[in-house]
Each structure stands twice: as structure tokens, then as C-alpha cells.
Amino acid sequence: MTKNYLEIPEELYNKLSDYAENDQLSIRLENQQILLENPKINHTNKQNLALHYFIVPSLASGIIALLIFLSTNHPQIAFTGSRHLSVASLSIILSTLFGFFGFIWTYLRKSCDLSKSKFKIFRETLTLSVAYTSISFAVQIIFWYIIGKTFSGVTFDPFTAGFLVLVFVGIIFYFLISAALSITLPNLILLLFTTFIGGILVSMATNNQKDWWQHNFSFLGTGEATQHWQFNITLIFSALILLTITDFLFAEFSKSSLYNYKFKIIRIFYILIAFLIAFVGIFPAQSWTMPIHNNSAFGLVAVVLIMIIFLKWLVPTISKEFLALSWTALIALILSAVAFMGIHYLSLTVFEIIAFAIAFTWLVMFINSLRGIIQEGNEWQVKLLQN
């Protein structure tokens, strides 16, 4: 019988032994990648996902919906609409409630690093659960709006309506618990972009009739704006997500031999930036909060400029391409400031949008660059042997 071997470095062997179950690992091919996993943990996750975390809440939502529909004494239940309880309204309500608490439960059970402090665990869990639940809520609103236009006037008996609620809640719940089980740094970056850009665009759209762009970008968060809370909450939650990304990134970095005091400085910079973003939302550009708002906004850009200037010293192994891109961003920020304050070519609104877009994009790209450095430090050469 021919035996095949995989020759690996001792450092890699020591790392793999921490994941092995009785010196056994499962190996599988996925998306042109080879994945080594603990077979017991992988099997347990699938069982829990299928049984405990998915079926029970879906059945509970169906039963609750059926009881509510029967209690209304309506022989037919509307698919959508607001005259009385409908499949759409109960699906949104129950999926949001079950999804929120289901995400928290799943994340705490499966995706939480127990080495973190209780405060960080609480902050991460609450931030991610609210963010993902809010996204699912927004998607449902859009979905049911389209369904309402497509199937206007459609009704069902209470039992069919209850079953449909079960199905729709199950779909949303599956999405949320799947997200909770697969929290990764790329997913968090995508969540940050979705939360920030989506919230800002909604704020812009709801204030279109007030010509917000004739004032300044910060007008969206003032009391004069329509539903100004959307803009401010977007900034606050974006800051919390950025803190969570920072925790994930540097928790992974701290296990690498590359981790040193310079990366601790970068971590402090990111924490400071997150607080400055939050302050922009907490303190709107009005009355006594104006100085704090302005200083936080300018401080955010200033910190990014400092990071770019000292980038080569902070991360000597940074790629030449990203270094060139960073200096391009620095020059663009300086030119936009001169165009606004020097020659008054740009309006305040345009300057704020340009500066914030450049700073935000660079911060996210820098996270990806740091993540690439971590991955390079976790690569080993192996050799296939046959006996």
C-alpha cells in the first residue's frame, strides 16, 4: 500500500496541532482553496445551524403569526398593506426580533473570542447584531414594497398566511445566523461600507427637497434636516464597526511575529479615528456643539495625514504600490484644502465630501494592506512525499 505524506515546517505543525481533534484534521477543497478543519467542530456547527438555530425560531414565528391572524377574526389576511395585520408586517416584525436575539445568541456561542474583555464582547455583539439586523430590515422593506406593487390586493386564509410568515422569517433568520457564524474581517469591511454609504445616501435622499448641498455636508446631521438622526446614527455605528474591525485585525496581528510597538501605535490611531467619527455624529454642527463637531472632523483628516506621512516608518514592509497610492491621497487632500480655503474654488460641501471620502477610503484600504501583511506572515512552504 502506497503511503503519501505532507512535509510541513515545525512552526506550522505546532499551529495545526492546536486545531486538531485527537491528531485528526479534515481537509476539503473550496473555491480553489485547501482548507484544514477540526472535523468535530465543523460537524457540530452544521448540526446546530440546521436544528437549534434555524428550525425552532421559524416554527415559533409561524405559530405566533397564526395565533395573531386567528385572533383578528378576519377570514382573509392581506399579503401586504397596512389596513390590518398582513403577512408582510408580521414577517418584518418577527424576523427583526427573532433575528436580533438569534444573532446575539449565535455570535456569543460560536464567533466570540473568549480572550477578549467582557466590555469588548458586549460592544462587538451589540454593534454587529444591530448592524446586520438593520440591513435585513432595510432589505425587507424594499422587498415588500416591490411585492406590494406586484401582488396588490392578494389575500390568504390565516393558516396559509401563517405558513408564509414562517417561510419568510426562516429565510431572514437563516441569513442572520449564517452571518453570525461567519464573521470575518472581509465581511466586516463590507458591513462598514454598506452601513456608512447606505446611511449617508438615505440621509441625502430624504433631504433632497431642502437643498442640503447648498449648506454643507454636516447639515444632514442638524435639527434642520429631515430625519437627521439617520445621518448621526450612521456615523456612530460606523465608528463602532471600525472599532470592531480594529479589534479583529490586531487580535490576529498580535499572534504574529511581526507585531511590535509600531503596530500598537497604528491601533491607537484607528481607535482615535473611530472616536472622532463618532463625535461628528454625537455632536451635530449646530449651537454649542459646533466647535466639537468641527474639531472632530478636522482631527479625523489630520490623523489620516499623520498616518500617511509616517506610513513608511510605521510599516517598513508596506508595498510600494500602496505607498504611492497613500501619497497620492495626501496630495489630493492638500489640493482640495487649497482649492477650498485658498482660492475658494470648491464649496464647503464639496470639500467635506472629497476630504471625508478620501480619508475613509484610505483607512479601509490600509486595513486590507495590513491584513495582507498578516497573511504573508502566515504562509509556509510544504512538500508532497510518496513512499
Side-chain angles (χ1 to χ4, degrees):
M1 178 180 178
T2 302
K3 291 185 178 181
N4 302 314
Y5 300 91
L6 187 66
E7 186 178 81
I8 61 176
E10 184 176 357
E11 182 183 2
L12 176 59
Y13 174 82
N14 294 332
K15 288 184 177 293
L16 290 178
S17 62
D18 295 334
Y19 295 95
E21 180 73 21
N22 297 324
D23 295 329
Q24 296 292 320
L25 288 169
S26 65
I27 187 169
R28 60 189 175 92
L29 299 177
E30 182 177 309
N31 298 326
Q32 297 183 342
Q33 293 181 332
I34 299 175
L35 302 178
L36 285 170
E37 298 175 324
N38 183 319
K40 183 177 180 180
I41 293 178
N42 188 42
H43 177 72
T44 303
N45 281 342
K46 290 181 179 179
Q47 292 293 330
N48 289 339
L49 177 63
L51 299 175
H52 301 291
Y53 297 164
F54 174 64
I55 295 178
V56 174
S58 300
L59 289 175
S61 64
I63 295 172
I64 293 173
L66 176 61
L67 293 176
I68 293 176
F69 289 147
L70 291 174
S71 67
T72 61
N73 295 321
H74 288 286
Q76 292 293 111
I77 304 299
F79 196 27
T80 61
S82 57
R83 288 184 304 165
H84 49 76
L85 287 176
S86 63
V87 173
S89 60
L90 266 189
S91 296
I92 293 173
I93 293 171
L94 292 176
S95 63
T96 301
L97 290 175
F98 277 108
F100 176 75
F101 292 105
F103 188 100
I104 291 176
W105 176 261
T106 306
Y107 184 75
L108 288 175
R109 289 286 301 271
K110 296 297 177 184
S111 303
C112 210
D113 187 354
L114 297 178
S115 64
K116 297 178 182 178
S117 66
K118 291 183 179 180
F119 174 76
K120 283 186 178 180
I121 293 175
F122 173 79
R123 190 196 71 217
E124 286 180 10
T125 305
L126 187 61
T127 299
L128 294 176
S129 59
V130 171
Y132 274 100
T133 306
S134 299
I135 291 173
S136 69
F137 179 82
V139 170
Q140 288 181 85
I141 294 295
I142 297 172
F143 170 79
W144 285 113
Y145 175 79
I146 297 173
I147 293 296
K149 295 294 183 181
T150 307
F151 298 99
S152 178
V154 175
T155 61
F156 301 97
D157 65 87
F159 291 94
T160 303
F163 175 75
L164 289 174
V165 171
L166 182 153
V167 172
F168 287 116
V169 171
I171 293 172
I172 298 299
F173 200 80
Y174 181 83
F175 160 75
L176 288 173
I177 61 176
S178 298
L181 286 169
S182 58
I183 294 293
T184 60
L185 195 56
N187 290 344
L188 290 176
I189 294 174
L190 179 61
L191 177 65
L192 177 61
F193 261 107
T194 304
T195 302
F196 181 78
I197 296 176
I200 295 299
L201 289 178
V202 169
S203 299
M204 290 179 178
T206 55
N207 287 278
N208 184 46
Q209 294 180 345
K210 291 198 172 187
D211 294 335
W212 62 270
W213 47 270
Q214 294 185 3
H215 302 270
N216 52 59
F217 189 59
S218 299
F219 173 84
L220 297 172
T222 63
E224 299 178 28
T226 302
Q227 297 180 337
H228 59 277
W229 61 270
Q230 293 177 345
F231 180 81
N232 296 327
I233 289 296
T234 295
L235 293 177
I236 295 170
F237 262 98
S238 296
L240 290 173
I241 295 173
L242 183 59
L243 279 177
T244 303
I245 290 174
T246 303
D247 290 340
F248 269 74
L249 176 66
F250 288 95
E252 188 175 356
F253 229 136
S254 62
K255 301 174 184 177
S256 171
S257 59
L258 301 174
Y259 192 68
N260 54 36
Y261 75 96
K262 293 182 181 179
F263 289 105
K264 293 181 180 179
I265 294 175
I266 297 175
R267 183 173 192 169
I268 292 173
F269 276 137
Y270 267 99
I271 293 174
L272 177 59
I273 288 171
F275 275 102
L276 290 172
I277 293 175
F279 285 165
V280 173
I282 294 172
F283 302 101
Q286 57 189 20
S287 64
W288 66 272
T289 61
M290 181 69 80
I292 303 177
H293 177 91
N294 289 340
N295 290 330
S296 298
F298 284 113
L300 169 63
V301 177
V303 173
V304 172
L305 291 176
I306 293 172
M307 292 177 69
I308 294 176
I309 293 172
F310 292 97
L311 180 61
K312 186 61 179 177
W313 175 78
L314 289 170
V315 189
T317 57
I318 199 73
S319 66
K320 293 181 179 179
E321 293 78 9
F322 184 76
L323 190 61
L325 179 65
S326 300
W327 281 102
T328 303
L330 176 66
I331 294 171
L333 285 171
I334 295 174
L335 289 178
S336 61
V338 172
F340 166 62
M341 293 182 289
I343 61 177
H344 306 290
Y345 175 74
L346 297 177
S347 66
L348 176 58
T349 302
V350 175
F351 169 68
E352 287 181 326
I353 293 176
I354 291 175
F356 210 83
I358 293 175
F360 182 78
T361 304
W362 183 85
L363 286 171
V364 174
M365 295 182 69
F366 187 34
I367 290 174
N368 276 323
S369 296
L370 292 175
R371 179 169 163 264
I373 293 174
I374 296 175
Q375 291 177 335
E376 290 177 2
N378 289 333
E379 291 182 1
W380 293 271
Q381 297 296 321
V382 300
K383 186 176 181 180
L384 294 174
L385 301 175
Q386 187 178 66
N387 186 10

